[in-house]
Amino acid sequence: MTQPPLPDPNYDTAPDPAPLFILSFRQRDEIAALAGRSGWQAIAARRSDGAVERYNASGAALAVVDARGALSEGLAATAALGAAVAQRGGALLVLVSRGDVGALASLYEAGATHFLSSPHSEGEFVEALRFAARHVGRRGGEPVAPLGWRIDASGAVRLTPALADLLDAPAAPTPRWLLGHVHPDDRATALAAWRRLRASGTPTAFAHDLAALGRVVEHLQHDPATGTTEAVVERLGAAPEAAVILRDALSGVRDAAGARRWLDRQLGEGRGIQAALIALNRFDIVNTAYGRTAGDGLLRAAQRRIEEVAADLFGRGAVVARMGGSEFLLAVEDSPARIELAAGRCAEGLARPFVAGGAVAVLGCRIGIAPARLPDETAASLLRRAGEALAIARASDSLTIHVAREGEAGPSLDTLAVDLRNAIDRGEIDIVFQPQVAIGSGAIVGVEALARWEHPVLGPLGAETLFAAADRADLSIGLSDHIQRTALARAAAWPAALAKLRLAINLTAADIARPGFADIFLDRVDASGFARGRLTVEITESGLIEDLGIAAALLSELRSAGCRVAIDDFGTGYSSLAYLKALPLDYLKIDKKLAQDIAGSTRDRIVVRGVIDMARSLGLAVIAEGVETPEQLDLLAKEGCQYYQGYLCAEPLDVAALAALITTRKE
């Protein structure tokens, strides 16, 4: 088991218990006690709020999420903790009920590294911890030096070096001296916790204010055999009067907790803050391919590019903070137009290649922006709305920046997530079809199936919003399954006028990552009665997982079974030529923004020409999306594009309108 180094000569030379962070919604105390009996120093939480911050402050490399009987909460907590654990080179053990083992793939995708299903014995749990700890050792992960103290049977007090420095400890501190650092209002609570610990031997904890640190939680455990009492001091937040602003340990920018406090102060003073959440694309791929050191360097480089934009536009007035994982905050008191300008420059800067592990990596980003809604805005509500805007941008196949507009009405993504589950059950998510037209003949040769939800308040909602809400509700796979089944059922029942059309269906990242998905999908197609030979599966760059080999194998299997394969939204700014080299493709679909720009400058037209020439050299047919004007169509035809879809032909249509359109065009 990896032990944290304690070089302080005032500490005993025997290794100290390694810190272990535990998040259990129902059995926190029981798990903490078991971990303590097994030689761990448990830092346990019952609520997921602030779990990332508490994990980071705990000093632990190993974390446990107890998802037994609380799968949705456990999956959300795993997703929240996964990036923080990975950054530290740690391990994340998830406990699941036997009936939930089918969710292991989702938990693994969210960031779990190890699993243990219930029921299990104490010995099996301890062995799982040891196995996960060995994993930490192999990855080179290290817990950070903890804040803590120990009192032995003789009453001698030992402090960790970090805590001794913070409290300016004397050479021989006493228990009374230690208690003197607890705020007078909290001393009764501290003594009560001490008595509970001595009476029961069960690990316990209490919260109090500590002058040097602000609000802290002390996690206590007692060893009756040696008479030793130990504590890990978990920092919940810096004292408001602290002169030094907490900085994120990796990037050097303001940390998430500090950023939230800054936002609350500014909003409390009625300032019109604009907040932009910036999430790097494909960071996990770089971390996996080139290692943690390269990934850490990339995060620092990304931070510098964001800070350069902030300094250029706002001087010293903006706050840049790393909120966790590969997500950053840019916040400033300024106009909506200026924060959107800053977001655009950040997107441009982060689209430039990075050097990672001796190789060149192209990432890009997605950005969600929210303006403060005064006078009732708080940091939590502002960040929630920025996060919702970011989720919409991430769910989009081509959108880089999404703004939550001032005065925007309607339910939040959280509300939509609740409504979505009921909407699927009631069959309210339907399918419309957008025609795909052969440029040479003008004939409609196929359609793309698109999801639509007629929301009772917001009206028609498209796939971008649907999948953003589905991510909140852990329904991405369920929504994708529903859309595919519905599209296939509609197409299988098409009238004779549509009998020769091809059908294009979108696959998501979750689909591609599912074990055995090719068999699942082909069985679904065959059960619908729709011919495999008339089906095209479309994937986007955002739908490709880290291992292109897995994606290539899946698509090869579908292609061998008679389907065709298209890569969608090519040219959004971050598309990689590696996809064209590695994947078995039949079509390349040019993103609508790129297709529409062909009517712009000469440079725009040259870019489109290059994409079309490259695709045709690889034997791929080219489909242009979003074509709206005859001029765009004419220029695309001159460059050799074979197919198009867009409002120039028709908006997405239901079956009856589609049949009527085809009949009219034949007349």
Side-chain angles (χ1 to χ4, degrees):
M1 183 165 62
T2 302
Q3 302 289 348
L6 289 171
D8 183 3
N10 291 327
Y11 246 72
D12 297 342
T13 56
D16 286 309
L20 172 68
F21 180 77
I22 297 170
L23 177 58
S24 176
F25 305 100
R26 292 172 172 79
Q27 301 183 52
R28 178 193 64 179
D29 296 340
E30 294 87 339
I31 295 179
L34 175 55
R37 291 196 297 271
S38 305
W40 295 86
Q41 177 65 61
I43 298 93
R46 182 175 283 122
R47 294 187 298 273
S48 57
D49 294 346
V52 173
E53 291 82 358
R54 297 190 69 180
Y55 168 77
N56 287 331
S58 71
L62 176 57
V64 175
V65 171
D66 182 7
R68 294 174 297 176
L71 181 61
S72 295
E73 296 95 324
L75 184 56
T78 301
L81 284 167
V85 172
Q87 281 179 12
R88 192 168 287 176
L92 180 53
L93 171 65
V94 178
L95 309 181
V96 296
S97 301
R98 184 65 54 86
D100 290 332
V101 294
L104 293 186
S106 297
L107 288 163
Y108 178 80
E109 183 179 323
T113 60
H114 297 75
F115 304 94
L116 183 63
S117 63
S118 184
H120 55 256
S121 66
E122 279 195 17
E124 289 170 330
F125 175 65
V126 172
E127 188 58 34
L129 289 178
R130 290 173 178 164
F131 185 81
R134 288 195 292 270
H135 174 81
V136 174
R138 287 193 297 269
R139 294 180 66 176
E142 289 289 345
V144 299
L147 302 174
W149 52 261
R150 174 190 300 163
I151 302 177
D152 64 23
S154 69
V157 178
R158 307 284 190 270
L159 275 68
T160 60
L163 187 60
D165 287 344
L166 283 169
L167 300 184
D168 193 19
T174 64
R176 183 178 294 276
W177 174 88
L178 193 61
L179 182 62
H181 283 273
V182 177
H183 192 279
D185 293 342
D186 296 319
R187 286 175 189 167
T189 302
L191 292 172
W194 180 274
R195 287 192 290 270
R196 285 197 308 272
L197 180 71
R198 288 302 184 96
S200 66
T202 302
T204 189
F206 70 99
H208 68 95
D209 287 330
L210 193 62
L213 295 173
R215 197 68 177 169
V216 301
V217 174
E218 297 203 24
H219 300 266
L220 309 176
Q221 65 184 44
H222 179 67
D223 184 355
T226 63
T228 300
T229 301
E230 296 177 323
V232 167
V233 179
E234 177 192 1
R235 176 164 38 191
L236 296 182
E241 66 277 10
V244 181
I245 297 175
L246 289 176
R247 311 296 281 185
D248 176 73
L250 173 62
S251 67
V253 295
R254 189 186 296 260
D255 71 343
R260 290 187 180 95
R261 287 193 296 274
W262 182 87
L263 285 173
D264 273 328
R265 286 197 301 272
Q266 302 303 311
L267 294 168
E269 295 173 3
R271 299 185 183 277
I273 301 298
Q274 312 286 327
L277 284 176
I278 305 166
L280 298 181
N281 294 341
R282 297 192 301 277
F283 171 73
D284 289 342
I285 299 177
V286 176
N287 229 18
T288 300
Y290 303 113
R292 249 180 87 211
T293 300
D296 290 351
L298 189 150
L299 287 175
R300 284 189 286 269
Q303 165 236 316
R304 286 193 295 271
R305 294 185 188 182
I306 296 170
E307 286 189 321
E308 287 170 2
V309 171
D312 182 50
L313 290 177
F314 309 116
R316 298 173 61 87
V319 161
V320 175
R322 182 165 163 270
M323 305 303 286
S326 57
E327 190 171 299
F328 294 85
L329 168 72
L330 170 58
V332 67
E333 182 185 12
D334 212 307
S335 67
R338 294 267 290 169
I339 194 69
E340 290 182 42
L341 173 62
R345 290 195 183 178
C346 286
E348 292 174 3
L350 296 173
R352 299 198 310 269
F354 292 87
V355 176
V360 175
V362 179
L363 296 185
C365 66
R366 300 294 171 96
I367 302 175
I369 299 175
R373 291 176 173 172
L374 299 174
D376 300 321
E377 191 78 273
T378 64
S381 62
L382 179 62
L383 291 173
R384 175 183 58 76
R385 291 192 299 107
E388 290 175 354
L390 175 60
I392 292 174
R394 278 176 152 168
S396 168
D397 291 333
S398 58
L399 193 62
T400 300
I401 301 169
H402 182 76
V403 181
R405 296 291 180 187
E406 180 66 24
E408 210 169 39
S412 69
L413 277 182
D414 291 328
T415 302
L416 286 177
V418 175
D419 293 346
L420 181 60
R421 189 182 300 273
N422 295 327
I424 292 175
D425 292 340
R426 293 192 295 261
E428 294 175 0
I429 311 299
D430 208 349
I431 299 296
V432 289
F433 302 96
Q434 184 161 41
Q436 295 175 334
V437 184
I439 293 177
S441 65
I444 296 175
V445 295
V447 293
E448 179 182 359
L450 302 169
R452 286 293 183 272
W453 178 15
E454 286 292 336
H455 192 276
V457 176
L458 300 181
L461 301 178
E464 293 176 2
T465 305
L466 283 174
F467 276 99
D471 286 341
R472 291 294 182 97
D474 297 328
L475 279 176
S476 295
I477 290 177
L479 176 62
S480 184
D481 285 347
H482 175 79
I483 291 171
Q484 291 168 16
R485 282 194 296 265
T486 304
L488 288 165
R490 295 282 188 279
W494 276 343
L498 311 181
K500 294 183 179 180
L501 294 184
R502 295 195 62 81
L503 172 67
I505 290 181
N506 292 285
L507 302 186
T508 68
D511 291 328
I512 295 174
R514 293 166 71 180
F517 176 72
D519 290 334
I520 295 172
F521 182 75
L522 292 172
D523 287 345
R524 182 173 296 155
V525 175
D526 293 343
S528 74
F530 192 82
R532 295 181 181 181
R534 291 168 54 203
L535 186 64
T536 300
V537 293
E538 295 190 359
I539 55 170
T540 63
E541 179 181 347
S542 60
L544 295 173
I545 58 175
E546 297 174 13
D547 191 340
L548 277 180
I550 293 176
L554 168 68
L555 298 176
S556 292
E557 193 169 348
L558 295 179
R559 201 163 178 248
S560 298
C563 304
R564 294 183 187 174
V565 178
I567 185 166
D568 198 5
D569 294 320
F570 191 85
T572 54
Y574 316 123
S575 297
S576 171
L577 298 180
Y579 298 153
L580 301 185
K581 292 167 58 179
L583 300 176
L585 302 171
D586 297 286
Y587 303 100
L588 184 151
K589 297 187 71 177
I590 300 176
D591 174 67
K592 60 184 178 182
K593 180 67 167 60
L594 190 63
Q596 291 167 356
D597 283 349
I598 195 172
S601 68
T602 302
R603 184 184 295 269
D604 291 328
R605 185 170 178 178
I606 290 172
V607 170
V608 178
R609 178 185 302 154
V611 171
I612 293 174
D613 288 346
M614 176 179 59
R616 297 188 67 176
S617 297
L618 293 171
L620 307 180
V622 179
I623 305 172
E625 295 185 279
V627 178
E628 297 179 352
T629 68
E631 181 187 12
Q632 293 168 359
L633 180 60
D634 180 61
L635 292 172
L636 286 164
K638 289 177 179 177
E639 299 300 343
C641 182
Q642 296 105 314
Y643 304 95
Y644 82 93
Q645 68 182 79
Y647 279 68
L648 181 61
C649 173
E651 63 184 4
L653 305 168
D654 61 23
V655 173
L658 178 63
L661 174 66
I662 289 181
T663 300
T664 301
R665 290 173 71 95
K666 287 180 178 178
E667 292 175 354

